[in-house]
Amino acid sequence: MVEQTTAWDAIFRRQGNVWTRPQEDMPRLLDALLAKGAKTLLDLGCGTGRHVVYFAQHGLSVHGLDNSPEGLRLTEQALREAGLAAHLHLQAMYDPLPYGDDSFDAIIAVQVIHHARIATIKQLIGELERVLRPSGTIFVSVSGVRDQGTRFEEIEPGTLVPLDGREAGLPHHFFTPDELREVFGRFDDVDVHLDSTKHYCLLASKPA
Ligand SMILES: C[S@@+](CC[C@H](N)C(=O)[O-])C[C@H]1O[C@@H](n2cnc3c(N)ncnc32)[C@H](O)[C@@H]1O
C-alpha cells in the first residue's frame, strides 16, 4: 500500500490544482451556514484549497488540515492571490486533531475520510464529533461507486486498493448509504445523496 502523504503529495506536485471549482453542494451549504450564523469552518483534507478559498471569500474563519506539504503550499498561494488568509495545519488526520472540543461551527471533508480502513474511519469520526460544536454542521463526501475500469485488491470487506490509475495503492473504503448513516449514527438531521462525481455526500448536525 502506498503511504498516503506521498501519494497525494506526488499527485499535487505532478498535476497542481487537480480541482479548482468547489464541489457542487458547497453553494447550498454556504447559504445554510450563513443563515445559521456560522463563523468557523474546518476543511479536513483541504488538498490544494479550493474550499478553503471559497469559504474564506465568504467571510468564514477557515482552518485547513492536510498531510500534503504541496497541497498546503498551493492553498497558501491561492489564498495569497485572492488576498485572503486562513489557518493551515500540516498533519495526518488520523492523529488526534490539534483543536479543542467544540471548536468549529462547521466541518467539511470532501473526498477524504474514505482513504482508510473502516476502524480508522470510525475513530476519525469520533474526533470530528469532538471538535464540532453542539448543533454544528458536518458535510463529508466519500467513495460510493467503484470505477468499473479500475482493478482493485480488497484488503477487508468494502475497503479496496486500486492496482492502477492515479490513485494506485491508496486504500478506499466504498460506503453504502446505509453504512454511511450508521457510522454517523450519533449525529442528527442526517441526509445522504449521491453527487455527480459518484461520491456519497452526508450532511448532518451534532446534537445540541
Ligand atoms: C481527493 S483529495 C481531496 C482534496 C480536497 N478535499 C478537495 O475536495 O479539493 C484527498 C485529500 O486528503 C488528504 N489526505 C489523505 N489522507 C490524509 C491523511 N491521512 N491525513 C491528512 N490528509 C490526508 C490528501 O492529501 C488530499 O489532499
Side-chain angles (χ1 to χ4, degrees), residues 2 4 7 16 23 40 44 53 60 63 66 79 92-93 115 126 129 133 145 149 164 172 179 194:
V2 173
Q4 295 180 14
Q23 188 274 351
T40 52
L44 185 83
V53 170
L60 277 90
H63 291 244
D66 206 289
L79 285 164
M93 65 187 165
H115 284 307
E129 186 184 352
R133 74 156 169 77
V145 181
D164 39 42
H172 289 61
E179 185 186 22
L194 194 64

Side-chain angles (χ1 to χ4, degrees), residues 4 8 12 19 45-47 50-51 66-68 91-94 110-112:
Q4 295 180 14
W8 275 106
F12 295 145
W19 309 273
C46 62
R50 59 177 172 159
H51 300 124
D66 206 289
N67 65 352
S68 161
Q91 192 197 296
M93 65 187 165
Y94 303 118
V110 178
Q111 298 181 32
V112 171

